[in-house]
Amino acid sequence: MSQIPKILVVGCGPVGTMCSYSLQNSGRATVTAILRSAYDDVEANGFHIKSIDHGEVDGWRPHNISRTLDDALQYGPFDYVLVALKNLPDVYSIPDIIRPAVASDKATIVLVQNGIDIEQPLIDAFPDNVVISGVPLIGCEQNGREILHNDPDILLVGAYTKNPHKMGQGKLTCSEFAEIYTAGGAKCEVKENLTWFRWRKLCWNASFNAICALTNLDSGLIQDAGALETLIKPAMGEVAAIASAAGYQLPEDIKEQMVAFTPRELYLKPSMQVDAIRGRPMEIEVILGNALRIAEKVDVDAKLLGTLYQLLKAKQRVLLSAR
Ligand SMILES: NC(=O)C1=CN([C@@H]2O[C@H](COP(=O)(O)OP(=O)(O)OC[C@H]3O[C@@H](n4cnc5c(N)ncnc54)[C@H](OP(=O)(O)O)[C@@H]3O)[C@@H](O)[C@H]2O)C=CC1
Ligand SMILES: CC(C)(CO)C(=O)C(=O)O
């Protein structure tokens, strides 16, 4: 690895921008970010970040910005390729998008995304590379160069690889990444059992994201409407049952923990609801589809999740055909 790791950020929305900020702020990495719709604004004025972790920062730019991945290659070869795109296997292939930037088996791929079983396509496409999977516990939104980061950034990470000889190195690389990230002023914690944490977060995303996107009621309004006991908690219960059958036992009170995860009075729009409102594709395959495919393998009946998935797929078809 080069002395100062070179990090490429693919997907510089609110999450990718906050990752870029922490990594660059550490002083221990060179960050190249691919910007699309925000490129001109950020090139001219920099990002304006209001962050619960970092305070207000105006005029901030990643070390290098590029409009396309091909253009960004001039700043490589990259030690880390961090992906903070929406995970949309029904719309595009993340391995295909990042392949030109994964120059050798020494490049580590970092996923900062919601969902379950999202590592597998990368492990299959890059069998000799290390994949760091990251569960983002953060709340942030973007409007052009404006970033509002209102829920602290805690990134949980774990290493995966198809090549067993790479696992030792993978764990070291994962610790190095977490140290750099944390040195930049946010939190990044290495978890041996990262998949367990994915299942735990999925309880929230598969229930609230799906039901709020379908009803267009936010996380508070859906509770005011009386759907906590009839829809939200039953959906969480199905996720917990699949996780348990797959070998990831969640706590007895997981539903109560996950409901408390975002206070009702926040009236928060989950990312899937925001995508539906903006006419953008929703992460239904990695949040519901993958969970249901695992349910089938471990023989768990998940009727409610199955219904939510089919309803969302119908909505997705309309969203995609309007693009
Ligand atoms: N936002 C949040 O608070 C949270 C998000 N998450 C998860 O984090 C991940 C990222 O979320 P978020 O930042 O909100 O996502 P967004 O959809 O808001 O941002 C994604 C960014 O990726 C860019 N992009 C899309 N396709 C490409 C491409 N082919 N090449 C380069 N850039 C591309 C988009 O650019 P453009 O604008 O030009 O389309 C956009 O800037 C998701 O998995 C989400 O579920 C998890 C917890 C909280
Ligand atoms: C839990 C939450 C709301 C964090 O912002 C999220 O993951 C999402 O909106 O998809």
Side-chain angles (χ1 to χ4, degrees):
M1 183 178 296
S2 44
Q3 290 270 302
I4 298 232
K6 293 182 182 176
I7 303 182
L8 176 67
V9 177
V10 186
C12 216
V15 169
T17 304
M18 293 320 302
C19 292
S20 303
Y21 186 84
S22 292
L23 291 164
Q24 183 161 320
N25 199 35
S26 73
R28 290 167 54 178
T30 303
V31 175
T32 299
I34 301 170
L35 298 174
R36 298 196 319 177
S37 52
Y39 184 94
D40 291 331
D41 211 1
V42 172
E43 189 192 35
N45 305 305
F47 280 108
H48 181 204
I49 298 172
K50 286 186 189 160
S51 163
I52 190 162
D53 289 338
H54 308 284
E56 185 165 353
V57 186
D58 200 4
W60 179 81
R61 293 177 189 79
H63 290 117
N64 309 304
I65 57 172
S66 290
R67 283 185 199 276
T68 64
L69 189 135
D70 281 349
D71 181 49
L73 295 180
Q74 64 182 301
Y75 303 111
F78 299 104
D79 301 293
Y80 294 91
V81 178
L82 186 151
V83 181
L85 299 169
K86 284 274 160 58
N87 199 321
L88 299 166
D90 47 338
V91 180
Y92 47 62
S93 154
I94 289 178
D96 287 353
I97 291 175
I98 66 169
R99 192 175 295 282
V102 183
S104 75
D105 61 2
K106 292 188 180 49
T108 298
I109 296 155
V110 186
L111 300 176
V112 185
Q113 295 175 316
N114 278 332
I116 194 75
D117 207 18
I118 64 167
E119 302 81 15
Q120 202 57 49
L122 282 304
I123 292 169
D124 289 341
F126 305 102
D128 288 319
N129 292 70
V130 171
V131 175
I132 296 178
S133 184
V135 177
L137 306 179
I138 186 172
C140 50
E141 50 197 80
Q142 177 178 22
N143 184 6
R145 74 180 199 100
E146 301 290 334
I147 302 281
L148 179 62
H149 169 208
N150 49 19
D151 201 16
D153 183 6
I154 307 173
L155 181 61
L156 310 179
V157 291
Y160 296 73
T161 177
K162 202 167 206 166
N163 182 342
H165 303 295
K166 285 285 182 85
M167 204 49 200
Q169 182 55 44
K171 286 186 177 178
L172 290 175
T173 310
C174 192
S175 298
E176 179 202 66
F177 177 84
E179 278 168 27
I180 299 172
Y181 201 96
T182 305
K187 280 198 186 143
C188 185
E189 298 171 7
V190 179
K191 301 288 182 193
E192 280 294 322
N193 51 347
L194 202 264
T195 304
W196 184 90
F197 287 92
R198 280 212 172 278
W199 280 109
R200 189 182 68 161
K201 187 160 186 212
L202 197 78
C203 284
W204 203 97
N205 291 130
S207 54
F208 275 106
N209 285 38
I211 293 160
C212 295
L214 286 166
T215 57
N216 199 19
L217 295 174
D218 65 33
S219 67
L221 290 174
I222 195 73
Q223 296 183 55
D224 297 348
L228 193 58
E229 300 299 333
T230 54
L231 289 169
I232 300 283
K233 284 188 176 175
M236 288 179 175
E238 289 190 1
V239 175
I242 304 168
S244 163
Y248 300 92
Q249 186 66 48
L250 296 170
E252 282 287 308
D253 64 344
I254 185 66
K255 295 184 232 169
E256 289 68 31
Q257 278 191 28
M258 284 298 108
V259 171
F261 179 65
T262 45
R264 181 176 181 152
E265 54 279 8
L266 282 183
Y267 291 94
L268 178 126
K269 286 189 178 64
S271 52
M272 211 182 257
Q273 184 187 0
V274 174
D275 286 334
I277 291 168
R278 295 190 178 170
R280 300 188 311 204
M282 305 171 290
E283 292 176 299
I284 60 177
E285 290 304 332
V286 294
I287 289 178
L288 291 127
N290 285 356
L292 286 163
R293 284 181 273 277
I294 296 170
E296 212 175 306
K297 278 190 204 143
V298 296
D299 204 17
V300 168
D301 196 8
K303 279 203 176 54
L304 176 54
L305 293 182
T307 304
L308 295 174
Y309 176 58
Q310 292 306 333
L311 289 168
L312 284 165
K313 272 186 34 160
K315 198 171 172 64
Q316 185 92 315
R317 247 173 250 135
V318 176
L319 289 178
L320 292 178
S321 63
R323 280 159 69 87

